[in-house]
Amino acid sequence: MHLKIPPALVTVITALLMYLVARFLPFGDFNFTGRFYVLWALFGVGMFLGTVSLIQFFTSKTSIDPRDPQKASELVVSGIYKISRNPMYLSLLLLLLAWGLYLPNAFNFLVLVFFVAYMNKFQILPEEQALSIKFGEAYKQYVKNVRRWF
């Protein structure tokens, strides 16, 4: 597996970078009517997705350790996993989007592009390779039917 940094730490580092951009970049600030409503909606959906996806893993009695997908004992494909193959990572992205709205600097959204690219390359692709080996045709069929993010 190619993962070097756990996803939670990548999220914290991204949030810190976003704060630094908002704090020290002298331009790029924005505001719009309803910004806080959108912020709270993104935060709520992100928390909901993260919570539901974790509950599904716990009730399936499978590993949530993103560093070692070989520990997975079951392929979870029901509930929220019918809509997204990675609702936990999607929830982190939504929380970072909410954070970006809270820090209103447009350049923070460029930082999020790097977050998505990093997660795809160093977390999701290695996970998908490991799960494909572990669960074979069932996982390949799941990949064909369900989108990676949303």
Side-chain angles (χ1 to χ4, degrees):
M1 181 128 170
H2 306 290
L3 176 64
K4 306 290 184 203
I5 305 171
L9 185 55
V10 173
T11 304
V12 170
I13 291 168
T14 302
L16 178 61
L17 287 172
M18 292 171 74
Y19 171 78
L20 294 173
V21 165
R23 177 85 167 94
F24 295 109
L25 195 65
F27 52 89
D29 289 349
F30 70 91
N31 198 1
F32 60 89
T33 304
R35 178 171 63 97
F36 281 98
Y37 295 117
V38 175
L39 179 160
W40 284 108
L42 289 169
F43 180 80
V45 172
M47 291 299 292
F48 175 78
L49 280 176
T51 302
V52 168
S53 57
L54 285 172
I55 289 170
Q56 281 192 255
F57 264 49
F58 287 129
T59 57
S60 296
K61 295 180 176 52
T62 192
S63 174
I64 62 166
D65 186 355
R67 295 169 297 163
D68 191 3
Q70 292 296 336
K71 291 181 182 177
S73 59
E74 183 179 329
L75 182 60
V76 181
V77 297
S78 62
I80 200 75
Y81 289 90
K82 285 183 177 180
I83 300 167
S84 171
R85 296 196 313 259
N86 298 289
M88 288 183 215
Y89 303 140
L90 178 58
S91 73
L92 296 176
L93 176 61
L94 292 174
L95 293 174
L96 287 170
L97 280 167
W99 178 238
L101 287 175
Y102 178 77
L103 298 170
N105 188 299
F107 291 96
N108 276 324
F109 297 99
L110 293 175
V111 176
L112 292 180
V113 170
F114 290 105
F115 172 80
V116 171
Y118 180 90
M119 293 302 286
N120 277 331
K121 181 171 178 137
F122 295 104
Q123 181 61 47
I124 294 172
L125 288 176
E127 263 185 32
E128 288 179 344
Q129 291 169 351
L131 293 172
S132 181
I133 292 167
K134 181 155 182 112
F135 295 108
E137 192 57 40
Y139 185 74
K140 290 175 185 167
Q141 190 63 38
Y142 176 62
V143 168
K144 286 181 187 176
N145 294 327
V146 179
R147 292 176 175 264
R148 179 176 283 158
W149 286 87
F150 52 87

